[in-house]
Amino acid sequence: MVIQVREETIEEIEKKLEEMSTTLNKINYLESVLKVTSFSFEIKRFLWSKLSGLYEERKMFDRAAKAMANKAGIEVSFRDKIDSYITAAELFSRVGKVDDAEDMFVRAGRDANSEQKMKVKLARKNVYLISAHELERKGKRASAAKFYERLIKMNLEDVEKVEIKEKLLSTYKALGMFREAKLLEGFS
């Protein structure tokens, strides 16, 4: 269902959103508004941000991450661009999409200066750790193993590396991946 869009400013769009009662109607409306090509980048950033928030509210994390990645692509400042990419990576990792999350972190690192690169690396480590723990708690060990595999390849402190190696070993053994566990035991 395509909605005819008459609104031309952020204020008018917000007013129209307030009139709508359900989140799905708001999402449908915002998707229709995004199809209008005449809007400025400022309005499009607002639309992608609002749409991402609505998707997240409905627990549609994959779509929320894609919306945030689109927002990052049209951000003006590098700080906003990096923050949007990191948020997209967090959202992708919530659904277990390690490769997509990694892609967002790579994009954020590309646009970062040396100080911001440290922030991106720390965010990557924290997001992967939290995601792995959360997936493990839900019983999704195979998905958690993917995050642990990414973590073990990162430049971490020895204590953290040992802890992650132990978790990955126990996950491999629980999944019946004995060959991988044996290879990991030989890895120092």
Side-chain angles (χ1 to χ4, degrees):
M1 179 174 112
V2 178
I3 299 172
Q4 188 173 7
V5 179
R6 293 189 177 100
E7 295 74 26
E8 295 180 8
T9 65
I10 291 176
E11 292 78 21
E12 291 174 353
I13 293 169
E14 284 179 324
K15 186 177 180 189
K16 179 81 172 184
L17 284 171
E18 287 174 12
E19 294 172 6
M20 295 181 181
S21 56
T22 67
T23 305
L24 290 176
N25 285 343
K26 292 177 183 180
I27 288 172
N28 193 16
Y29 170 70
L30 289 174
E31 287 174 344
S32 295
V33 174
L34 279 166
K35 291 178 183 168
V36 176
T37 58
S38 62
F39 286 124
S40 68
F41 285 125
E42 179 185 357
I43 293 174
K44 286 187 178 186
R45 280 192 302 274
F46 166 77
L47 294 171
W48 284 120
S49 179
K50 199 74 158 164
L51 192 58
S52 177
L54 291 171
Y55 281 140
E56 191 173 356
E57 185 180 311
R58 295 285 302 177
K59 303 214 182 316
M60 301 165 77
F61 298 118
D62 189 40
R63 286 186 173 200
K66 288 175 183 173
M68 193 53 71
N70 286 332
K71 178 182 179 257
I74 58 173
E75 285 288 5
V76 177
S77 74
F78 284 117
R79 183 183 324 152
D80 292 339
K81 186 178 286 237
I82 291 165
D83 290 342
S84 294
Y85 279 133
I86 289 173
T87 303
E90 287 176 36
L91 291 166
F92 275 127
S93 65
R94 286 179 84 172
V95 287
K97 292 194 168 191
V98 183
D99 293 332
D100 292 331
E102 184 69 21
D103 182 43
M104 293 297 112
F105 282 122
V106 167
R107 290 181 188 196
R110 250 192 333 231
D111 294 329
N113 61 30
S114 59
E115 182 182 312
Q116 292 167 328
K117 282 185 195 289
M118 293 302 294
K119 176 186 171 189
V120 171
K121 285 180 184 179
L122 182 63
R124 176 189 283 154
K125 179 184 86 168
N126 290 336
V127 166
Y128 287 176
L129 274 172
I130 291 168
S131 297
H133 290 306
E134 192 64 30
L135 287 166
E136 217 171 16
R137 191 181 59 78
K138 291 179 181 176
K140 297 181 178 183
R141 289 190 175 127
S143 296
K146 291 178 183 178
F147 283 103
Y148 286 133
E149 288 168 353
R150 293 288 175 145
L151 281 165
I152 202 116
K153 293 175 186 173
M154 290 174 61
N155 212 2
L156 303 174
E157 294 178 22
D158 292 335
V159 175
E160 291 174 316
K161 215 167 194 114
V162 167
E163 180 184 323
I164 291 166
K165 183 178 174 182
E166 288 172 6
K167 288 190 182 270
L168 188 56
L169 269 172
S170 68
T171 304
Y172 279 161
K173 288 177 182 174
L175 291 170
M177 300 170 73
F178 300 110
R179 186 173 14 146
E180 288 84 352
K182 195 166 189 89
L183 285 171
L184 185 63
E185 286 173 345
F187 175 73
S188 53

